[in-house]
Amino acid sequence: SSKRYNICSWLRDNKFHICLLQETYCTKDIEVIMKKGWNGEIINSHSESSHSKGVCILFAKDLAYNNISVHCDNGGRTLLVNIEMNGVVYSICNVYCPNDVTDRVKYLAETKCFIQKHAVAKQNIYLGGDFNCVESPLDKVSQRFEKSSSTLTQINNDLNLIDIWRV
């Protein structure tokens, strides 16, 4: 609980407005503890286990936005929030991909469908999280890629997403 509190306090003190966290190990019981360190809204996708998964999106208290809708999976791996700020609609999706390559490829394909189904914004989609794979040789020591890397590339192409680190 002190680690969660310290992370939320550090994010708050450094004036982050929107934060995507993965591997939160958050259950409904722990959600109250997380809110003690963060002044704003915390939206969670809970895991059934306190030992794995869990993603959340934190919104700063002073951020002027309207929450349109929230969508999450049953496994604590996917969370999509549609918001409106200054008259612009944004869809923010936070993911935590499985470690196993076969499971990851399947999960990424499901995530693409999840985003297409639930994202209100079609131009302002933000996808972040822990993908457990890389898309570019610049991000990997060896040049070997497994199938999930190409699946991630295909999702980015299909949804017109760009890797912000490559801009």
Side-chain angles (χ1 to χ4, degrees):
S1 64
S2 65
K3 181 178 179 181
R4 286 182 189 91
Y5 176 84
N6 289 338
I7 289 169
C8 288
S9 295
W10 184 85
L11 292 170
R12 184 193 66 232
D13 293 346
N14 284 281
K15 301 187 183 343
F16 286 93
H17 292 101
I18 300 174
C19 305
L20 283 63
L21 302 179
Q22 304 80 38
E23 293 188 77
T24 60
Y25 303 94
C26 188
T27 61
K28 291 182 181 181
D29 298 333
I30 296 171
E31 192 172 337
V32 174
I33 296 167
M34 287 182 71
K35 290 185 179 189
K36 289 181 181 177
W38 183 254
N39 282 6
E41 181 178 16
I42 300 176
I43 302 173
N44 285 287
S45 177
H46 300 279
S47 170
E48 295 173 6
S49 167
S50 62
H51 301 289
S52 65
K53 306 174 196 160
V55 295
C56 69
I57 302 176
L58 287 68
F59 294 92
K61 181 180 173 182
D62 59 347
L63 183 66
Y65 71 97
N66 294 315
N67 189 334
I68 298 170
S69 60
V70 175
H71 306 275
C72 57
D73 68 348
N74 293 327
R77 289 195 179 272
T78 312
L79 174 63
L80 187 142
V81 179
N82 292 297
I83 63 169
E84 180 270 325
M85 287 189 307
N86 299 321
V88 180
V89 175
Y90 300 91
S91 296
I92 304 167
C93 187
N94 188 9
V95 300
Y96 174 46
C97 292
N99 290 321
D100 178 75
V101 175
T102 304
D103 292 343
R104 187 167 48 247
V105 169
K106 181 181 176 196
Y107 171 80
L108 285 168
E110 292 168 355
T111 299
K112 176 186 161 192
C113 294
F114 185 89
I115 292 170
Q116 289 173 321
K117 179 179 180 180
H118 297 294
V120 174
K122 300 305 176 197
Q123 300 298 316
N124 297 310
I125 298 173
Y126 291 85
L127 175 61
D130 184 345
F131 296 95
N132 278 314
C133 66
V134 295
E135 192 179 5
S136 168
L138 298 171
D139 298 323
K140 192 169 176 112
V141 174
S142 74
Q143 296 300 308
R144 282 189 13 205
F145 286 102
E146 83 285 308
K147 186 168 173 52
S148 63
S149 294
S150 59
T151 304
L152 181 57
T153 298
Q154 189 61 50
I155 289 171
N156 288 339
N157 291 338
D158 292 348
L159 297 175
N160 295 316
L161 303 177
I162 59 167
D163 184 344
I164 196 66
W165 293 104
R166 304 293 172 242
V167 176

